[in-house]
Amino acid sequence: MPLSLLKKNEDKNLKELITFLSFPSVSAKSEHKKDLKACASWLKDHLNKIGFKAKVCPTGGHPLVYAEYMVDPKLPTVLYYGHYDVQPPEPLELWESSPFKADIRKGYIYARGATDDKGQTWCHVKGLEAIIKKTGTLPINVKFLIEGEEEVHSANLPAWLKKNKKMLKADIAVVSDTAQFSKTLPAVTFGLRGIASCEVFVYGPNRDVHSGSYGGAIANPINVLCQMVGQLHDKNGKIAIPGFYKNVKAMSKWEKAKFKQLPYNEAAYKKSLKLQALHGEKGFTTFERTWVRPTLDVNGITGGYQGEGAKTIIPSMASCKITMRLVPGMDAKDICNLLEKHLLKIAPKSVRVKVDKHGGASAVEVPTDGPWLEATGRAIKKGFGKEPVFMKEGGSIPIVGDFKKILGVDTLLIGFGQQDDNIHSPNERFRIVDFVKGCKTAAILPDELASVK
Ligand code: BES
Ligand code: MN
Ligand code: MN
C-alpha cells in the first residue's frame, strides 16, 4: 500500500524536504541566481531518481523544472504545478532559526518556503513517489511543472506555456499553493485575486538640500508622496481612483452564502494579529474584503535619511511600491494606467512624478462542481478525515489564469497550509501533520482522478 510506505518514509521525506528548503532560492534578488539554478538542478535529479523524465528548462528568467510520467494515453493527464522560488527572508533578526536551515520545533518545520511552496510541492512529489514505488506505475499520466519565478509575477512563464502547448496538453491541473480554511477544516479554493504592481517616484530639488536653508520654500518629495498616497482611499475605505471599480464583478448569491456558512471569530482574528480593531471597505465582511473586493496597498516606501542620528535635509526624491489586488472583471494593465493617470493629476506642480507600471495578473475563478471537484473532495476527505469547505483566497498565483487561457485547462486549488503559517513573514512554517496528511492526500488523489471519465 502506498500509504503504509508513506508512513514508513515519513522521516526520510521530511529530511529530503529539509534539503529542498536549504537552497536560498529567492527569485527577487539577482545575487541568488546561482542558488535558483542549483535548486532546479537538484529537483530535476530527484524527480529522475524516482522515475520521472525530468529536465531543467531555460525561460529567459530563472529556469523551471519540467517532468513527465506517462503511462497510457487513454488515462487522464494531470498537470501538477508548484514553485521552488521563495520570498526574501528579511528581516532576518526576527527569525528564531535560520531561514535556510530548517528547524523542527513543536510540531512545525520552520524555514522560508516551508509552506510557500516547497513543502506543499513536496507533498505531491512524495505522494506520487509512494504510488510508483508500491505499484510500479501511476493510475494517471503526470506532467509536473515547478517554476522559479512565481514570487516575481511569473513574467516568463506564459510565453513558455505558449511555446510548449502541445507538450503540456492535460485534462486538469493541480496546484497546492494555498491554505486550508483552518486547523480543523480542509478546503478547496475556488478563486484567487489578481494583482497589479506599480512603483511611484516623486522628484523634488536636484539634490538633497539643507532643510533649514530651503525648508518652507520648496516641496518635500516625501511629504508630497505621503499626501498623495493618503488621498488614494476615501473615508469609507473605498479606493478613490476614478474608474477603479467600473469592471468589478458583483458577488454571486451562491458565493455570498458560502462565505456566510464559514465560521468567523472576529475577536480571535484580531487577537492573532495583536490588533485592537480591523480596518477596511465599509459594508463588507472580512472574507468579502480579502477575497472578492479589490485593494490598494503600499508595500514599501523609501526616501531621505534613515541612518543613525539626525540628518536635516529635504530629500531630492521619494518612492514607493504599490500593489493592487484585483477581482474578476478587472484588468491589471488597465488598473495600472488608471493609477498613473490619477497620480499625475493630483501631483502638485512643485514636484515631478513618474509611475513605473509592472503589470500583473488577473483574478481567477475555477469550477465549483463537476467530476474533478468531486474526486478532489473524496481525496481530501480520505487524507484529512474531513469533507473540505469551499473558500476563496486573497493572494494570487499568476499562472493559474493562463492555464485556462493558454492551455484550456481548469485548476484544482488544493491547499495544505494554514492561515497562520507565516508565509512571506519571518518564521514561515508548515505543520508536520499537514505535511503528513498532504502527502497522504497526494497519494490518494491520482486514483480518484483516474476514476473521472
Ligand atoms: N502562495 C502564494 C499565493 C497565496 C497567498 C495563496 C495567500 C493563498 C493565500 C503565492 O506564492 C504568492 O505569494 N503570490 C504572490 C504573487 C505575486 C508576487 C505576483 C502574491 O500573491 O503576492
Ligand atoms: Mn506560493
Ligand atoms: Mn508566495
Side-chain angles (χ1 to χ4, degrees), residues 169-183:
K169 191 173 177 306
D171 297 296
I172 192 81
V174 169
V175 176
S176 290
D177 193 22
T178 50
Q180 303 181 57
F181 181 78
S182 73
K183 291 182 182 106

Side-chain angles (χ1 to χ4, degrees), residues 23 32-42 56 62-63 84:
F23 293 90
H32 287 296
K33 204 170 168 211
K34 270 203 238 100
D35 301 309
L36 280 117
K37 213 174 148 199
C39 189
S41 167
W42 178 84
V56 174
H62 300 299
Y84 73 84

Side-chain angles (χ1 to χ4, degrees), residues 47 76 118 133 229 350 359 382 423:
L47 287 165
K118 288 171 171 173
K133 285 239 160 84
V229 166
S350 51
K382 288 179 191 163
I423 65 171

Side-chain angles (χ1 to χ4, degrees), residues 83 87 116 150-153 177-179 192 195 325 393-398 423-424:
H83 62 93
Q87 284 273 320
D116 188 11
E150 196 275 344
E151 300 290 7
V152 289
H153 291 93
D177 193 22
T178 50
L192 299 164
I195 189 165
R325 295 288 168 176
E393 286 273 19
S396 315
I397 307 173
I423 65 171
H424 296 207

Side-chain angles (χ1 to χ4, degrees), residues 79 122-123 141 200 203 237 265 283 288 334 342 357 359 413:
L79 174 63
W122 211 237
C123 291
N141 302 306
V200 183
Y203 300 101
N265 178 337
E288 291 166 358
D334 205 31
H342 185 63
K357 295 170 284 185
L413 295 164

Side-chain angles (χ1 to χ4, degrees), residues 217-231:
I218 63 173
N220 178 324
I222 300 180
N223 296 17
V224 171
L225 179 59
C226 291
Q227 281 163 3
M228 287 171 57
V229 166
Q231 290 173 54

